[in-house]
Amino acid sequence: MTGTPSLPEAYEISTDPTRIDAGRVHHWLSTDAYWALGRSREKQARAIEESLNFGVYDRVSGQQVAYARVITDRATFAWLCDVYVDPSVRGKGIGSALVGAVRDETRSYGVRRVLLATQDAHGVYEKFGFAALERPERWMALVFGQ
């Protein structure tokens, strides 16, 4: 597990929910994220409202350039989801710094485990200590549709 990667100096991470650009996040996720395509604006607003949100912002313009949210009780469990970096800033280490910040914040609560699901970014998350479930046969899911 690596330390927390440095965020490029031109950017900052915040968990202040009032800074989230909900319209931008909704656009990113509903049009470009395979797990959230077509998600309604109302559903996204509710997800933001009920989660611990992380935003990455350009220090000069204030524009949001990345997002992640965590569903957690801040005591025993957390689920990392909706991690997205704007294509215009990919490759600058912003996503890695964001995941590192999420890891550090959730660790500070004393949660026992943080889960996530990914189709194609296993290598990114493995750098932060994420691994395939050791005993997947113990886990179940209740799915209400797509």
Side-chain angles (χ1 to χ4, degrees):
M1 179 168 44
T2 64
T4 301
S6 297
L7 187 66
E9 198 171 296
Y11 302 94
E12 64 182 336
I13 295 175
S14 174
T15 58
D16 179 352
T18 65
R19 292 187 70 186
I20 299 297
D21 183 340
R24 187 169 176 85
V25 169
H26 173 256
H27 175 76
W28 283 336
L29 298 177
S30 68
T31 64
D32 192 40
Y34 67 83
W35 64 90
L37 293 175
R39 184 182 289 170
S40 74
R41 179 76 186 258
E42 296 76 24
K43 185 170 281 201
Q44 185 62 49
R46 194 167 69 243
I48 290 170
E49 184 177 312
E50 299 296 333
S51 299
L52 170 62
N53 298 280
F54 291 77
V56 180
Y57 305 89
D58 182 294
R59 288 185 187 273
V60 175
S61 70
Q63 183 176 33
Q64 187 169 353
V65 298
Y67 176 73
R69 70 185 180 92
V70 177
I71 303 162
T72 184
D73 58 11
R74 292 184 169 98
T76 62
F77 180 80
W79 176 269
L80 171 59
C81 55
D82 289 346
V83 179
Y84 189 90
V85 178
D86 188 274
S88 68
V89 297
R90 289 182 187 163
K92 296 183 177 186
I94 290 169
S96 291
L98 178 58
V99 173
V102 168
R103 181 202 53 205
D104 294 348
E105 180 78 17
T106 54
R107 181 189 298 152
S108 76
Y109 301 145
V111 299
R112 182 176 166 112
R113 68 179 42 92
V114 179
L115 294 182
L116 65 83
T118 184
Q119 178 175 296
D120 55 6
H122 296 78
V124 172
Y125 296 106
E126 287 169 348
K127 293 186 290 188
F128 298 95
F130 286 91
L133 292 173
E134 194 171 301
R135 307 228 20 221
E137 70 276 6
R138 291 185 175 188
W139 295 86
M140 297 178 71
L142 175 60
V143 179
F144 292 110
Q146 306 298 47

